[in-house]
């Protein structure tokens, strides 16, 4: 049931509550906590709060919310994530099972740093929790913090994020710094109706190379919401590899807003791995700003039960001879839905651009539904572009072959689904990272089977 | 103890393909089936595996006394039946090593983990016997394999799973002369008093290597003649014309 192009207005189950123009009082930021923060940041946080209050919740006719709805991320009843107990901290630290070798690992629980370790970080590389970076590297943050405005639908949430942001990692790799091991960050949330604002900023200097893995996870299965922002700035010839591994509990909701700026001859690979949450939305913009730059935009989701995954992307070619390749794959089960909306924009003058976009859906259930809305806007010459979306049920031949070798139905379907998304994950080109993500996918299937 | 097929009838929606097929393969025996294109040889092997395209309308199949037709596809395999496919399928993204490992894992009792070290040791030994390059462990199952490589990969699976009853559906087609020899040696290495084989082929050259005890001729969905190894030679010389006369 793939929808190649939106033709009709989406069906809505219930009428939407009136737009939320004034903010719920329990989300009002405590600006007195920012007294230590640089002046500019206080100003921006206050302005962001004003902006949040003035912006309406995206309405039903908002094109960026087509086939979805902003009330999936309703803020009603939510509050800022609160203090946690010692036992919860312990549980979060113990639950942070990640890569065996990392250059740095930060663990946050309810937007508070509870663990930090670095292991032989290369000379000059900075990996700091957001609040500390604000004090010690304020000038860099002033230059880069949320400078690329979110414009794929979640402007209001981005403003709320900026008004509250305190947690997350700031990663600054100076010119020529090559990090051998990845940096891994865990963001845990605990408490019913908790709201967290994880932030990630990666600035790679010219020819620097850095790999970062973000995890978003819940201590318990309860309603909670994560409004994350991740920005990547790739200097000339640099390489950034980034994974957002969304592993929240089934009752939680996730929003991940990310923007990437790729300078001359730089390369950024970013993967959205959506495993948890009742509703998960990602908005990913890649600005190919420098000649010869390349962006790989990757996505994998494996929704079960009634999970909804909502993906919005923009491949924005601003300079000549730029290359972008988007591959999103979804394996849907039960009564799940995925919505993919992607635009390739080739700006005036971005000649000799190569831009590819593919969304493939594997439907494991007749009740699942995958909506794909690809789009193209070309204003330059000598451009190679292609886009396509496919949806198909699991192949009966493949299934028969596996079962004919004695592999039970469920395991066979799982093998096929994992195989289906494997080429996306392999594109990360990082053996240990690939293995650890594969493990997480297998764990999800194991949990589902239990 | 045997794979016992009695008066088997199977059809696709618009017509019957197996029309009263009967055969007993006992452990230790090698049976060969020859027969013209379209006579139903591959259909027989797929029906035995439980392929959903075919409906069994009458007859029975038992594997060591157990009702094979009552089992699911995967249970039949675990019960000891193996089919080396005439046209093996491709599974994108699933490595050959993981695939075979999952098949072996499925044969263990619940909660027991396959010993990975022992598994790879055995896998590499079998691959060496089949003169397969190690690169085939990491490649996706059959994806981009040449015709001959796919056939070799089927026999690798056979050698890893060690089934009690194996059906080889035109394993020789697509194999070059050297590969035919290597693959046949692999099959012969598996021959034992505990294992039975049903070898489907069009050509004597395979039977030169895998020597059958009994040769059958299948025409229009059933066996019409059986004999010793000399029957294959006779068929090769005279073609299926003689069977029509018989
Ligand atoms: N799923 C199917 N749908 C339609 N027709 C089928 C199907 N399976 C088999 N047939 C038909 O049944 C007949 C027997 O096919 P089968 O593949 O069993 O023959 P075979 O003896 O294996 O032939 P070959 O020697 O060419 O391999 C053929 O006419 C074939 O077209
Ligand atoms: Mg055949």
């Amino acid at each position: 049931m793939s929808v190649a192009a939106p033709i009709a207005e989406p069906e809505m189950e219930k009428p939407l509550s009136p737009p939320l123009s004034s903010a719920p009082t329990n989300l009002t930021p405590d600006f007195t906590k920012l007294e230590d923060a640089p002046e500019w940041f206080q100003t921006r946080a206050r302005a962001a709060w004003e902006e949040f209050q003035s912006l309406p919740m995206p309405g039903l006719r908002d094109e960026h919310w087509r086939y979805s709805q902003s009330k999936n991320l309703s803020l009603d009843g939510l509050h800022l994530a609160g203090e946690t107990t010692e036992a919860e901290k312990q549980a979060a630290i113990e639950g942070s099972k990640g890569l065996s070798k990392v250059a740095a690992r930060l663990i946050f629980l309810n937007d508070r740093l509870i663990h930090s370790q670095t292991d032989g970080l290369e000379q000059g590389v900075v990996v700091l929790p957001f609040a500390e970076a604000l004090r010690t590297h304020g000038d860099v943050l002033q230059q880069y913090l949320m400078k690329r405005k979110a414009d794929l639908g979640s402007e209001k949430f981005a403003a709320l994020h900026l008004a509250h942001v305190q947690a997350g990692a700031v990663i600054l790799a100076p010119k020529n710094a090559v990090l051998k091991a990845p940096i891994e960050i865990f963001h845990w949330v605990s408490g019913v109706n908790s709201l967290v604002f994880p932030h990630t900023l990666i600035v790679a200097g010219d020819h620097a190379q850095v790999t970062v893995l973000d995890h978003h996870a819940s201590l318990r299965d309860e309603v909670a919401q994560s409004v994350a922002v991740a920005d990547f700035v790739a200097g000339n010839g640099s390489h950034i590899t980034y994974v957002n591994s969304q592993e929240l509990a089934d009752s939680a909701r996730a929003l991940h807003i990310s923007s990437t700026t790729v300078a001359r001859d730089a390369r950024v690979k970013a993967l959205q791995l959506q495993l948890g949450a009742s509703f998960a939305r990602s908005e990913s913009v890649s600005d190919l700003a420098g000649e010869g730059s390349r962006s790989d935009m990757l996505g994998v989701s494996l929704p079960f039960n009634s999970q909804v995954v909502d993906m919005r992307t923009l491949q924005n070619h601003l300079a000549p001879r730029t290359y972008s390749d988007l591959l999103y794959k979804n394996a849907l089960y039960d009564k799940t839905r995925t919505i993919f909306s992607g635009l390739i924009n080739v700006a005036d003058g971005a000649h000799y651009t190569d831009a590819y976009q593919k969304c493939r859906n594997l439907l494991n259930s007749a009740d699942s539904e995958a909506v794909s809305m690809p789009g193209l806007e070309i204003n330059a010459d000598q451009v190679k572009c292609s886009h396509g979306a496919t949806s198909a049920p699991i192949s009966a031949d493949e299934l028969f072959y596996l079962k004919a070798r004695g592999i039970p139905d469920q395991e066979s379907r799982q093998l096929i689904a994992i195989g289906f998304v494997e080429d996306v994950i392999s594109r990360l080109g990082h053996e240990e990272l690939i293995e650890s993500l594969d493990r997480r996918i297998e764990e999800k299937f194991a949990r589902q089977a239990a | 103890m045997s794979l016992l097929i009695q008066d088997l009838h199977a059809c696709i929606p618009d017509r019957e393909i197996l029309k009263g097929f009967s055969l007993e393969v006992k452990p230790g025996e090698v049976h060969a089936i020859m027969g013209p294109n379209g006579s139903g040889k591959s259909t027989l092997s797929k029906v035995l595996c439980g392929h959903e395209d075919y409906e069994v309308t009458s007859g029975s199949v038992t594997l060591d006394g157990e009702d094979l037709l009552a089992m699911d596809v995967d249970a039949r395999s675990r019960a000891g039946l193996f089919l080396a496919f005439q046209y093996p399928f491709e599974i994108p993204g699933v490595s050959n090593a993981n695939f075979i490992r999952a098949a072996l894992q499925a044969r263990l009792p619940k909660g027991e983990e396959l010993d990975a070290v022992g598994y790879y040791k055995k896998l590499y030994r079998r691959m060496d016997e089949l003169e397969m390059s190690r690169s085939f462990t990491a490649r996706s199952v059959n994806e981009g394999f040449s015709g001959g490589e796919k056939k070799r990969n089927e026999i690798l699976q056979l050698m890893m799973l060690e089934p009690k009853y194996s059906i080889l559906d035109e394993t020789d087609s697509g194999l070059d002369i050297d590969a035919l020899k290597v693959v046949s040696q692999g099959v012969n290495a598996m021959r034992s008093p505990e294992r039975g084989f049903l070898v489907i082929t069009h050509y004597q050259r395979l039977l030169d290597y895998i020597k059958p005890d009994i040769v059958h001729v299948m025409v229009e969905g059933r066996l019409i003649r059986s004999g010793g190894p000399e029957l294959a030679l006779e068929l090769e010389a005279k073609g299926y014309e003689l069977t029509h006369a018989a």
Side-chain angles (χ1 to χ4, degrees), chain A residues 300-316:
Chain A
V300 166
S301 84
L302 302 110
F304 279 97
N305 303 323
S306 55
Q307 289 183 306
V308 177
V309 184
D310 181 2
M311 300 149 278
R312 314 277 158 164
T313 65
L314 172 62
Q315 295 156 264
N316 200 18

Side-chain angles (χ1 to χ4, degrees), chain B residues 41-42 86 169-170:
Chain B
K41 304 179 297 296
S42 293
Q86 181 174 4
D169 192 358
E170 293 195 31

